[in-house]
Amino acid sequence: MTVINITEDFYFEEAMTLYGQTFPAEIRESEEVFRRSLQLLNDRYQFIGLTIDDQLAGFITFHVEKDYHIGFIVYLVVHPAYRGQHVASRLLAYAEERMTAIDCSLETIMLECEKDQYGVSPLESFYKKFNYVKYPIFYMQPGLQNNDPVPMNLFIKKIKKSRQLFLAITQMYIAKYHDANGIPLTKLQDYINNM
């Protein structure tokens, strides 16, 4: 297994194909969002892949907001042919290690995950193995395809005692949905006010 940096010229198309096959359309971002994130978020945004025999086995994207000492795992995707081979575990461990290297004062890592009508996320038990806990907050992903917002669970892993967790959550929300997705702040403010 080899860890690689995915760029617009290196494994990007393979990652986008895998992404499109993995996520339902209502929560899927456009390729342009990935490209914009690589360009605009610079050192804050990482797009990391794991290859096996030169085949993309999976990828993880994340960014770090150093002003708030928080990391956000955006996507963790594993190719169906490589599931059960610890690809997700290796990618998540690498991302956590990388985030703490980027910000040695990192306090919290968070991620969002879709949930069913009972509030259960499909990967909840996996995230619990890595000490992520479901944060008790009303969390919505804005409609990314001009559709209704999608209820999500927010999972938090505390690295150090967090001084301003809610402020960090709102700043990460703005970075993901305003900076990367271009959703107007006025629209996001309604979701933030209801958290």
Side-chain angles (χ1 to χ4, degrees):
M1 291 189 190
T2 306
V3 174
I4 59 166
N5 287 316
I6 295 176
T7 67
E8 288 187 80
D9 300 320
F10 190 66
Y11 281 96
F12 185 82
E13 293 306 320
E14 293 92 334
M16 291 298 92
T17 299
L18 179 57
Y19 173 70
Q21 295 167 348
T22 304
F23 283 87
E26 64 270 9
I27 63 170
R28 193 169 47 224
E29 295 173 314
S30 71
E31 278 188 28
E32 184 55 36
V33 171
F34 286 86
R35 292 180 197 283
R36 188 178 318 128
S37 296
L38 283 167
Q39 294 166 359
L40 295 179
L41 299 180
N42 298 324
D43 64 333
R44 296 179 348 192
Y45 182 78
Q46 304 281 310
F47 197 161
I48 306 297
L50 190 69
T51 61
I52 298 174
D53 298 327
D54 295 324
Q55 298 296 313
L56 185 65
F59 70 84
I60 192 165
T61 62
F62 57 91
H63 55 97
V64 176
E65 295 298 318
K66 291 169 90 173
D67 291 343
Y68 299 96
H69 307 296
I70 191 163
F72 187 86
I73 296 170
V74 185
Y75 291 109
L76 175 58
V77 180
V78 177
H79 191 288
Y82 297 100
R83 291 186 183 150
Q85 298 181 34
H86 306 288
V87 172
S89 297
R90 287 197 169 124
L91 285 166
L92 187 57
Y94 179 85
E96 289 179 356
E97 180 182 303
R98 185 76 191 112
M99 282 187 265
T100 55
I102 292 169
D103 181 0
C104 61
S105 298
L106 191 71
E107 296 174 355
T108 305
I109 299 173
M110 73 166 130
L111 58 89
E112 60 186 28
C113 191
E114 62 271 17
K115 63 182 180 180
D116 64 19
Q117 68 269 25
Y118 305 107
V120 177
S121 293
L123 296 174
E124 197 164 327
S125 61
F126 173 75
Y127 294 128
K128 283 182 181 179
K129 290 179 192 174
F130 283 85
N131 300 313
Y132 287 83
V133 295
K134 196 176 349 180
Y135 192 68
I137 192 171
F138 181 72
Y139 192 87
M140 300 287 278
Q141 179 193 61
L144 300 177
Q145 312 298 328
N146 292 322
N147 55 339
D148 290 335
V150 178
M152 302 285 237
N153 281 324
L154 185 67
F155 290 88
I156 301 285
K157 180 176 185 172
K158 291 186 180 181
I159 308 299
K160 296 179 181 174
K161 185 173 176 158
S162 180
R163 295 165 293 203
Q164 303 174 4
L165 184 57
F166 186 74
L167 177 61
I169 290 169
T170 58
Q171 291 305 312
M172 189 59 70
Y173 194 78
I174 289 168
K176 177 167 179 12
Y177 292 114
H178 176 67
D179 296 352
N181 283 277
I183 295 173
L185 286 173
T186 53
K187 187 173 184 178
L188 294 180
Q189 195 59 51
D190 291 338
Y191 301 125
I192 292 168
N193 291 342
N194 288 316
M195 284 185 186

